[in-house]
Amino acid sequence: METFEADYSKYDFKNSTDYDVTFEKGLSEDVVKRISKLKGEPDWMLEFRLNAFKFFMKRPVPQWGGDLSKIDFNDLTYYLKPIKDRAKAWDELPKEIKDTYDKLGIPEAEKKFLSGVEVMYESESVYSSVKKELEDLGVIFCDTDTALKKYPELVKKYIGRVISQNDNKFAALNSAVWSGGSFIYVPKGVKVPMPLQAYFRINAESMGQFERTLIIADEGADVTYIEGCSSPIYSKNSLHAAVVEIIAHKNSHVKYITIQNWSSDVYNLVTKRAFAYQNAYVEWIDANTGALLTEKYPSVYMLEPGAKANILSVALANRNQHQDTGAKAIHLAPDTSSTIRSKSICLNGGRTSYRGLVKVGKGATGVKTSTKCDALILDKESRTDTYPYMEISEEDATVSHEASVGKIGDEQLLYLESRGIPEQEAINMIVLGFMGEFIKELPLEFAVEFNRLITLNMEGAVG
Amino acid sequence: MVDELLVKDLDVSVNGIRILDGVSLDINTGEVHVLMGPNGSGKSTLSNTIIGNPKYKVERGKILFNGKDLLKMKPDERVKEGIFMSFQEPVEIPGVSIFNLMRTAYLKSGGSTSELSAFRSRVSSLMSQLGFQESFMNRSVNEGFSGGEKKRFEVLQMMVLKPRMAILDEVDSGLDIDTLKIIGSMVKEASKSMGMLIITHYDRILEYVKPDFVHIMKDGRIVSTGGMEIVSEIKEKGYNYYK
Ligand SMILES: Nc1ncnc2c1ncn2[C@@H]1O[C@H](COP(=O)(O)OP(=O)(O)O)[C@@H](O)[C@H]1O
Ligand SMILES: [Mg+2]
């Protein structure tokens, strides 16, 4: 396993950043007020935060999923501002921050195949850009703080509409102390040709990152958003508690792709939900590697006829990692359809759990929904479970559920070896093949990166 | 150069049960050996042992290739030495495309990235000779293949990997006459430049490839060795004739 830790080096580098603003550890109403004041927010947002803080304090730590008992909310830093002013060009960034993103390959990717980029370092966005043609069409892509300043009406209209401050303990926490995140608005009929990308980076130790992402696709709009996340390894735990809300209006299409690769000391507790209106199509492509514990179940609420959801959840749990992931498809209108696919791999004692909910509400007739969960378990120490929940209130719903747990077959290994491929590479090929369905959904550059991540994790999987 | 595969006094067991009992064979470049015998007599056990399937435990005896001890090598190392085995029942590998497999195998056998496109056209041309469409390259290895496709794909891999010693385990089973013709003539062509062990139940493929030696296996032992005349003998008398 040393090999794995060593090869994590692309992500595991720390910078000694001189922060512009640093909060002491711990959470209180005062911390919430100071964050809001520092950002110069309108009163309604302060209210929003303070309300959320009350909910957070009232709600117990959830018991149903992974082990959250070791999170010490008073041993986290809730706000760290890296630089005074956001950069408009990569060169304006302080060297150590620019280096971070260079190492991760973001500026390079921007040049080649992205419509816009947004990067966040600790609590704040540090760089943001969107192609001029798109700006001219009225596309907004910036960090959520900037959106609150420049487009307060839009933010006020939509924030918390999909995920209320009281939705769950971590959504409440996010609502109280949120900072950064992406804001996207695509006007009626505009189709964004290339993906918009955000990259979230935790650099400091015992950091809480609480980005808030809000994506609004107006009627007939089309947008693909990609988010990458990473952090270096510390011995103390960090917390990533994000909230992502998507509003997909009539006939729109939103595709949201995440590849998360947190270090194995991060609690990754994220609430992601979309509202899909008439004939809208929402896709969550969600891959989780790394992290001590992930709890994440991207959801689509199909609120009007013809809405569609496609959720692909991918998890890889290596040593000391627990990926509790899944999906929710909530059918609340007739003729809505959903597909859920889950692919998980566990090795070296890692644990994956699929947790999903398929709900067909009263009056939602003609629903079609299918769920398929495939788990691959690489050794005896590892564990995988499925917890599929169903609440079906209309009899004519077409509901299917399939689950499989597989091992890498000795015969598959021998077959590849008998073509001259060494065992380790044969394992990689089989694992990547298993993930093939997911990899196909990614733009090429991300597919390459994801292959690399998987391959790194597989090192030392033999023997 | 002449390559020699030498199997000497081989005893092999699976799950503690003895399957092969003192098997010996000596195959040289340019020779075609045919191994026949009833179901369950141990033919596939022999081929699996030669390639290094870890399920098959060698209790006694040797397998040498040009004097090198294959039993000390992992399967992929044996392949590097020049051994090839086609599987009687090739396994499906979902999500691994044929081209990915071929390309990786090519690079592992010392092929260079700069010649990858030349390699690709060589594969294409072999594929069309074997009656595959170009789109076949994108399919997952053996997934949903018909019986004939599986066998043709095994032969394709042999042609692509250019081994020095090939063991073909029932590569002619369940084929229609046209497919048999394609495979038969390809195997014949290949047999000129390598040593070959053909495991088969039928004499149909022997219309294309003329064997130099025919061996009969029963209950894990080679009970008879000779030339083409043995094939007609089996046809006439059946395997029960051999003790
Ligand atoms: N992997 C295995 N596990 C258990 N028994 C096996 C295995 N492989 C072969 N055998 C047994 O060994 C004997 C020989 O089988 P095999 O070599 O496949 O014969 P053939 O190829 O001549 O039909 C049979 O009795 C078969 O059941
Ligand atoms: Mg057999």
Short mmCIF file of all heavy atoms in Angstrom, two decimals, chain A residues 410-423 425-426 429-434 436-437, chain B residues 48 53 75-76 79 84-85 87 90-96 101 104-105 108 141-142 153-154 157:
data_model
loop_
_atom_site.label_atom_id
_atom_site.label_comp_id
_atom_site.label_asym_id
_atom_site.label_seq_id
_atom_site.Cartn_x
_atom_site.Cartn_y
_atom_site.Cartn_z
N ASP A 410 -10.91 -15.48 -11.78
CA ASP A 410 -9.60 -16.05 -12.06
C ASP A 410 -9.45 -16.32 -13.55
O ASP A 410 -8.37 -16.16 -14.12
CB ASP A 410 -9.42 -17.38 -11.32
CG ASP A 410 -9.41 -17.17 -9.81
OD1 ASP A 410 -9.12 -16.03 -9.39
OD2 ASP A 410 -9.68 -18.13 -9.08
N GLU A 411 -10.58 -16.71 -14.17
CA GLU A 411 -10.51 -17.03 -15.59
C GLU A 411 -10.28 -15.79 -16.44
O GLU A 411 -9.60 -15.84 -17.46
CB GLU A 411 -11.79 -17.72 -16.04
CG GLU A 411 -11.85 -19.15 -15.59
CD GLU A 411 -13.21 -19.78 -15.85
OE1 GLU A 411 -13.89 -19.34 -16.78
OE2 GLU A 411 -13.54 -20.71 -15.11
N GLN A 412 -10.87 -14.67 -15.99
CA GLN A 412 -10.65 -13.42 -16.72
C GLN A 412 -9.19 -13.01 -16.62
O GLN A 412 -8.56 -12.60 -17.60
CB GLN A 412 -11.53 -12.31 -16.15
CG GLN A 412 -13.01 -12.54 -16.37
CD GLN A 412 -13.85 -11.46 -15.73
OE1 GLN A 412 -13.54 -10.96 -14.66
NE2 GLN A 412 -14.93 -11.07 -16.40
N LEU A 413 -8.64 -13.15 -15.41
CA LEU A 413 -7.23 -12.81 -15.22
C LEU A 413 -6.34 -13.68 -16.09
O LEU A 413 -5.45 -13.19 -16.78
CB LEU A 413 -6.83 -13.02 -13.76
CG LEU A 413 -6.94 -11.83 -12.83
CD1 LEU A 413 -6.43 -12.21 -11.45
CD2 LEU A 413 -6.15 -10.65 -13.39
N LEU A 414 -6.60 -14.99 -16.05
CA LEU A 414 -5.77 -15.91 -16.83
C LEU A 414 -5.85 -15.59 -18.32
O LEU A 414 -4.86 -15.63 -19.03
CB LEU A 414 -6.18 -17.36 -16.58
CG LEU A 414 -5.35 -18.36 -17.38
CD1 LEU A 414 -3.94 -18.47 -16.82
CD2 LEU A 414 -6.01 -19.74 -17.43
N TYR A 415 -7.05 -15.25 -18.75
CA TYR A 415 -7.23 -14.96 -20.17
C TYR A 415 -6.31 -13.82 -20.61
O TYR A 415 -5.58 -13.93 -21.59
CB TYR A 415 -8.69 -14.60 -20.47
CG TYR A 415 -9.02 -14.60 -21.94
CD1 TYR A 415 -9.38 -15.78 -22.58
CD2 TYR A 415 -8.95 -13.44 -22.69
CE1 TYR A 415 -9.66 -15.80 -23.95
CE2 TYR A 415 -9.24 -13.44 -24.05
CZ TYR A 415 -9.60 -14.62 -24.67
OH TYR A 415 -9.87 -14.63 -26.02
N LEU A 416 -6.33 -12.73 -19.83
CA LEU A 416 -5.48 -11.59 -20.21
C LEU A 416 -4.00 -11.92 -20.04
O LEU A 416 -3.17 -11.54 -20.86
CB LEU A 416 -5.86 -10.36 -19.37
CG LEU A 416 -7.28 -9.83 -19.61
CD1 LEU A 416 -7.57 -8.63 -18.71
CD2 LEU A 416 -7.48 -9.43 -21.08
N GLU A 417 -3.68 -12.65 -18.98
CA GLU A 417 -2.28 -13.02 -18.78
C GLU A 417 -1.79 -13.90 -19.92
O GLU A 417 -0.65 -13.82 -20.34
CB GLU A 417 -2.10 -13.75 -17.44
CG GLU A 417 -2.28 -12.85 -16.24
CD GLU A 417 -2.16 -13.64 -14.94
OE1 GLU A 417 -1.03 -13.87 -14.49
OE2 GLU A 417 -3.20 -14.05 -14.40
N SER A 418 -2.69 -14.75 -20.41
CA SER A 418 -2.28 -15.67 -21.48
C SER A 418 -2.12 -14.93 -22.81
O SER A 418 -1.77 -15.53 -23.83
CB SER A 418 -3.30 -16.79 -21.64
OG SER A 418 -4.43 -16.30 -22.33
N ARG A 419 -2.40 -13.62 -22.79
CA ARG A 419 -2.10 -12.79 -23.96
C ARG A 419 -0.86 -11.92 -23.69
O ARG A 419 -0.62 -10.94 -24.40
CB ARG A 419 -3.29 -11.91 -24.33
CG ARG A 419 -4.59 -12.65 -24.60
CD ARG A 419 -4.41 -13.90 -25.44
NE ARG A 419 -5.68 -14.56 -25.77
CZ ARG A 419 -5.82 -15.86 -25.90
NH1 ARG A 419 -4.79 -16.68 -25.70
NH2 ARG A 419 -6.99 -16.38 -26.21
N GLY A 420 -0.17 -12.26 -22.62
CA GLY A 420 1.09 -11.57 -22.34
C GLY A 420 0.97 -10.36 -21.44
O GLY A 420 1.89 -9.56 -21.32
N ILE A 421 -0.20 -10.20 -20.80
CA ILE A 421 -0.41 -9.02 -19.96
C ILE A 421 -0.20 -9.40 -18.49
O ILE A 421 -0.84 -10.32 -17.99
CB ILE A 421 -1.84 -8.46 -20.18
CG1 ILE A 421 -1.99 -8.08 -21.66
CG2 ILE A 421 -2.11 -7.27 -19.28
CD1 ILE A 421 -3.42 -7.85 -22.11
N PRO A 422 0.74 -8.72 -17.81
CA PRO A 422 1.03 -9.08 -16.42
C PRO A 422 -0.19 -8.88 -15.51
O PRO A 422 -1.08 -8.08 -15.80
CB PRO A 422 2.15 -8.11 -16.01
CG PRO A 422 2.72 -7.61 -17.29
CD PRO A 422 1.61 -7.64 -18.29
N GLU A 423 -0.21 -9.60 -14.40
CA GLU A 423 -1.37 -9.67 -13.52
C GLU A 423 -1.90 -8.29 -13.10
O GLU A 423 -3.10 -8.03 -13.19
CB GLU A 423 -1.00 -10.48 -12.28
CG GLU A 423 -2.19 -10.74 -11.38
CD GLU A 423 -1.83 -11.60 -10.16
OE1 GLU A 423 -0.64 -11.64 -9.78
OE2 GLU A 423 -2.75 -12.21 -9.59
N GLU A 425 -1.60 -5.37 -14.45
CA GLU A 425 -2.25 -4.65 -15.55
C GLU A 425 -3.55 -5.32 -15.96
O GLU A 425 -4.51 -4.65 -16.37
CB GLU A 425 -1.31 -4.56 -16.74
CG GLU A 425 -0.39 -3.36 -16.59
CD GLU A 425 0.73 -3.40 -17.59
OE1 GLU A 425 0.48 -3.11 -18.76
OE2 GLU A 425 1.85 -3.75 -17.18
N ALA A 426 -3.57 -6.63 -15.85
CA ALA A 426 -4.79 -7.36 -16.18
C ALA A 426 -5.91 -6.93 -15.21
O ALA A 426 -7.05 -6.69 -15.62
CB ALA A 426 -4.55 -8.86 -16.10
N MET A 429 -7.13 -3.54 -16.18
CA MET A 429 -7.99 -3.58 -17.37
C MET A 429 -9.40 -4.04 -17.03
O MET A 429 -10.38 -3.49 -17.52
CB MET A 429 -7.39 -4.53 -18.43
CG MET A 429 -6.25 -3.91 -19.22
SD MET A 429 -5.51 -5.13 -20.33
CE MET A 429 -6.63 -5.00 -21.73
N ILE A 430 -9.48 -5.05 -16.18
CA ILE A 430 -10.80 -5.58 -15.83
C ILE A 430 -11.60 -4.54 -15.03
O ILE A 430 -12.78 -4.32 -15.27
CB ILE A 430 -10.66 -6.91 -15.04
CG1 ILE A 430 -10.05 -7.97 -15.96
CG2 ILE A 430 -12.02 -7.37 -14.52
CD1 ILE A 430 -9.59 -9.22 -15.25
N VAL A 431 -10.90 -3.86 -14.12
CA VAL A 431 -11.57 -2.84 -13.30
C VAL A 431 -12.01 -1.67 -14.17
O VAL A 431 -13.14 -1.19 -14.06
CB VAL A 431 -10.64 -2.37 -12.16
CG1 VAL A 431 -11.18 -1.11 -11.51
CG2 VAL A 431 -10.48 -3.46 -11.12
N LEU A 432 -11.14 -1.23 -15.05
CA LEU A 432 -11.51 -0.13 -15.94
C LEU A 432 -12.64 -0.55 -16.88
O LEU A 432 -13.52 0.25 -17.20
CB LEU A 432 -10.30 0.36 -16.74
CG LEU A 432 -9.25 1.11 -15.92
CD1 LEU A 432 -8.02 1.39 -16.77
CD2 LEU A 432 -9.80 2.41 -15.34
N GLY A 433 -12.62 -1.81 -17.27
CA GLY A 433 -13.71 -2.33 -18.10
C GLY A 433 -15.03 -2.28 -17.35
O GLY A 433 -16.06 -1.87 -17.88
N PHE A 434 -14.96 -2.66 -16.09
CA PHE A 434 -16.14 -2.62 -15.23
C PHE A 434 -16.69 -1.20 -15.14
O PHE A 434 -17.88 -0.95 -15.09
CB PHE A 434 -15.73 -3.14 -13.84
CG PHE A 434 -16.77 -2.98 -12.78
CD1 PHE A 434 -17.84 -3.87 -12.69
CD2 PHE A 434 -16.67 -1.97 -11.84
CE1 PHE A 434 -18.79 -3.73 -11.70
CE2 PHE A 434 -17.62 -1.82 -10.84
CZ PHE A 434 -18.68 -2.70 -10.77
N GLY A 436 -16.34 0.98 -17.45
CA GLY A 436 -16.42 1.50 -18.81
C GLY A 436 -17.64 2.36 -19.09
O GLY A 436 -17.55 3.40 -19.73
N GLU A 437 -18.77 1.93 -18.56
CA GLU A 437 -20.02 2.63 -18.77
C GLU A 437 -19.92 4.08 -18.27
O GLU A 437 -20.47 5.00 -18.86
CB GLU A 437 -21.08 1.93 -17.93
CG GLU A 437 -22.34 1.59 -18.63
CD GLU A 437 -23.28 0.90 -17.65
OE1 GLU A 437 -22.83 -0.01 -16.91
OE2 GLU A 437 -24.44 1.28 -17.63
N ASN B 48 -3.91 -26.09 -20.21
CA ASN B 48 -3.92 -25.12 -19.11
C ASN B 48 -2.64 -25.18 -18.28
O ASN B 48 -2.17 -24.16 -17.78
CB ASN B 48 -5.12 -25.36 -18.19
CG ASN B 48 -6.35 -24.60 -18.67
OD1 ASN B 48 -6.52 -23.42 -18.39
ND2 ASN B 48 -7.18 -25.28 -19.44
N ASN B 53 -2.05 -22.01 -15.84
CA ASN B 53 -3.25 -21.78 -15.03
C ASN B 53 -2.98 -22.26 -13.60
O ASN B 53 -2.72 -23.44 -13.38
CB ASN B 53 -4.42 -22.56 -15.65
CG ASN B 53 -5.74 -22.27 -14.96
OD1 ASN B 53 -5.76 -21.88 -13.80
ND2 ASN B 53 -6.82 -22.48 -15.68
N PRO B 75 2.10 -16.93 -16.26
CA PRO B 75 1.56 -17.09 -17.62
C PRO B 75 2.06 -16.04 -18.60
O PRO B 75 2.46 -16.37 -19.71
CB PRO B 75 0.05 -16.96 -17.41
CG PRO B 75 -0.19 -17.40 -16.01
CD PRO B 75 1.04 -17.00 -15.24
N ASP B 76 2.08 -14.76 -18.18
CA ASP B 76 2.49 -13.72 -19.14
C ASP B 76 3.96 -13.87 -19.52
O ASP B 76 4.36 -13.52 -20.63
CB ASP B 76 2.21 -12.32 -18.59
CG ASP B 76 2.96 -12.03 -17.31
OD1 ASP B 76 2.67 -12.66 -16.29
OD2 ASP B 76 3.87 -11.17 -17.34
N VAL B 79 4.16 -16.42 -22.18
CA VAL B 79 3.75 -15.84 -23.45
C VAL B 79 4.94 -15.10 -24.08
O VAL B 79 5.17 -15.18 -25.28
CB VAL B 79 2.54 -14.90 -23.26
CG1 VAL B 79 2.20 -14.19 -24.57
CG2 VAL B 79 1.35 -15.68 -22.74
N PHE B 84 1.61 -19.79 -26.94
CA PHE B 84 0.24 -19.30 -27.08
C PHE B 84 -0.72 -20.44 -26.81
O PHE B 84 -0.47 -21.58 -27.21
CB PHE B 84 -0.01 -18.76 -28.50
CG PHE B 84 -1.44 -18.33 -28.72
CD1 PHE B 84 -1.85 -17.06 -28.35
CD2 PHE B 84 -2.38 -19.21 -29.28
CE1 PHE B 84 -3.18 -16.66 -28.53
CE2 PHE B 84 -3.70 -18.81 -29.47
CZ PHE B 84 -4.10 -17.54 -29.09
N MET B 85 -1.82 -20.12 -26.13
CA MET B 85 -2.86 -21.12 -25.97
C MET B 85 -4.21 -20.52 -26.30
O MET B 85 -4.51 -19.43 -25.87
CB MET B 85 -2.90 -21.63 -24.53
CG MET B 85 -4.02 -22.63 -24.31
SD MET B 85 -4.29 -23.03 -22.58
CE MET B 85 -5.74 -22.13 -22.22
N PHE B 87 -8.26 -20.82 -25.80
CA PHE B 87 -9.11 -21.43 -24.78
C PHE B 87 -10.27 -22.20 -25.41
O PHE B 87 -10.86 -21.75 -26.39
CB PHE B 87 -9.69 -20.34 -23.87
CG PHE B 87 -8.67 -19.79 -22.91
CD1 PHE B 87 -7.76 -18.82 -23.32
CD2 PHE B 87 -8.62 -20.24 -21.60
CE1 PHE B 87 -6.82 -18.32 -22.44
CE2 PHE B 87 -7.68 -19.74 -20.72
CZ PHE B 87 -6.78 -18.78 -21.14
N PRO B 90 -13.54 -19.55 -24.08
CA PRO B 90 -13.03 -18.21 -23.74
C PRO B 90 -14.02 -17.44 -22.87
O PRO B 90 -15.23 -17.50 -23.09
CB PRO B 90 -12.87 -17.53 -25.11
CG PRO B 90 -12.91 -18.63 -26.12
CD PRO B 90 -13.75 -19.71 -25.52
N VAL B 91 -13.49 -16.74 -21.87
CA VAL B 91 -14.32 -16.06 -20.89
C VAL B 91 -14.66 -14.64 -21.36
O VAL B 91 -13.88 -14.00 -22.07
CB VAL B 91 -13.59 -16.06 -19.52
CG1 VAL B 91 -12.30 -15.26 -19.60
CG2 VAL B 91 -14.47 -15.53 -18.42
N GLU B 92 -15.82 -14.14 -20.95
CA GLU B 92 -16.21 -12.77 -21.30
C GLU B 92 -15.53 -11.77 -20.37
O GLU B 92 -15.44 -11.99 -19.17
CB GLU B 92 -17.73 -12.60 -21.15
CG GLU B 92 -18.52 -13.50 -22.07
CD GLU B 92 -20.02 -13.18 -22.06
OE1 GLU B 92 -20.45 -12.37 -21.23
OE2 GLU B 92 -20.73 -13.76 -22.91
N ILE B 93 -15.07 -10.67 -20.92
CA ILE B 93 -14.51 -9.61 -20.08
C ILE B 93 -15.21 -8.30 -20.41
O ILE B 93 -14.79 -7.56 -21.31
CB ILE B 93 -12.98 -9.47 -20.27
CG1 ILE B 93 -12.32 -10.86 -20.20
CG2 ILE B 93 -12.40 -8.55 -19.21
CD1 ILE B 93 -10.82 -10.86 -20.32
N PRO B 94 -16.28 -7.99 -19.70
CA PRO B 94 -17.09 -6.82 -20.03
C PRO B 94 -16.29 -5.52 -19.97
O PRO B 94 -15.49 -5.33 -19.06
CB PRO B 94 -18.19 -6.82 -18.95
CG PRO B 94 -18.18 -8.18 -18.37
CD PRO B 94 -16.81 -8.72 -18.54
N GLY B 95 -16.53 -4.68 -20.93
CA GLY B 95 -15.92 -3.34 -20.91
C GLY B 95 -14.49 -3.29 -21.43
O GLY B 95 -13.95 -2.21 -21.61
N VAL B 96 -13.86 -4.45 -21.64
CA VAL B 96 -12.51 -4.44 -22.20
C VAL B 96 -12.64 -4.70 -23.70
O VAL B 96 -13.05 -5.78 -24.11
CB VAL B 96 -11.62 -5.51 -21.54
CG1 VAL B 96 -10.27 -5.59 -22.22
CG2 VAL B 96 -11.47 -5.21 -20.05
N LEU B 101 -7.41 -4.89 -25.80
CA LEU B 101 -6.68 -6.12 -25.49
C LEU B 101 -5.52 -6.34 -26.46
O LEU B 101 -4.38 -6.60 -26.06
CB LEU B 101 -7.64 -7.32 -25.54
CG LEU B 101 -7.00 -8.71 -25.50
CD1 LEU B 101 -6.20 -8.92 -24.24
CD2 LEU B 101 -8.05 -9.79 -25.64
N THR B 104 -2.73 -3.69 -25.94
CA THR B 104 -1.96 -3.93 -24.73
C THR B 104 -1.04 -5.13 -24.92
O THR B 104 0.13 -5.10 -24.56
CB THR B 104 -2.89 -4.14 -23.53
OG1 THR B 104 -3.89 -3.11 -23.53
CG2 THR B 104 -2.13 -4.07 -22.23
N ALA B 105 -1.60 -6.19 -25.51
CA ALA B 105 -0.80 -7.40 -25.74
C ALA B 105 0.40 -7.08 -26.65
O ALA B 105 1.52 -7.52 -26.41
CB ALA B 105 -1.67 -8.49 -26.36
N LYS B 108 2.99 -5.09 -24.74
CA LYS B 108 3.65 -5.95 -23.76
C LYS B 108 4.63 -6.90 -24.42
O LYS B 108 5.59 -7.35 -23.81
CB LYS B 108 2.61 -6.76 -22.97
CG LYS B 108 1.86 -5.95 -21.98
CD LYS B 108 2.77 -5.49 -20.86
CE LYS B 108 2.33 -4.12 -20.38
NZ LYS B 108 3.34 -3.48 -19.53
N VAL B 141 -14.40 -8.07 -25.07
CA VAL B 141 -13.80 -9.37 -25.29
C VAL B 141 -14.78 -10.51 -24.98
O VAL B 141 -15.25 -10.64 -23.84
CB VAL B 141 -12.53 -9.51 -24.41
CG1 VAL B 141 -12.00 -10.95 -24.42
CG2 VAL B 141 -11.46 -8.53 -24.89
N ASN B 142 -15.11 -11.26 -26.00
CA ASN B 142 -15.95 -12.46 -25.91
C ASN B 142 -17.38 -12.23 -25.44
O ASN B 142 -18.16 -13.17 -25.33
CB ASN B 142 -15.31 -13.54 -25.01
CG ASN B 142 -14.01 -14.05 -25.60
OD1 ASN B 142 -13.93 -14.27 -26.80
ND2 ASN B 142 -13.00 -14.22 -24.77
N PHE B 153 -12.00 -15.52 -32.99
CA PHE B 153 -11.26 -14.52 -32.23
C PHE B 153 -10.00 -15.14 -31.60
O PHE B 153 -8.95 -14.51 -31.54
CB PHE B 153 -12.16 -13.90 -31.16
CG PHE B 153 -11.48 -12.86 -30.33
CD1 PHE B 153 -10.71 -11.86 -30.91
CD2 PHE B 153 -11.60 -12.88 -28.94
CE1 PHE B 153 -10.08 -10.89 -30.13
CE2 PHE B 153 -10.97 -11.92 -28.16
CZ PHE B 153 -10.20 -10.93 -28.76
N GLU B 154 -10.10 -16.38 -31.15
CA GLU B 154 -8.90 -17.04 -30.62
C GLU B 154 -7.83 -17.15 -31.71
O GLU B 154 -6.66 -16.88 -31.47
CB GLU B 154 -9.25 -18.44 -30.08
CG GLU B 154 -10.14 -18.44 -28.85
CD GLU B 154 -9.50 -17.78 -27.64
OE1 GLU B 154 -8.50 -18.30 -27.13
OE2 GLU B 154 -10.00 -16.70 -27.20
N GLN B 157 -6.16 -13.87 -32.41
CA GLN B 157 -5.13 -13.51 -31.43
C GLN B 157 -3.84 -14.27 -31.67
O GLN B 157 -2.75 -13.73 -31.51
CB GLN B 157 -5.65 -13.74 -30.01
CG GLN B 157 -6.76 -12.76 -29.67
CD GLN B 157 -7.35 -13.04 -28.31
OE1 GLN B 157 -6.87 -12.54 -27.31
NE2 GLN B 157 -8.38 -13.85 -28.26
#
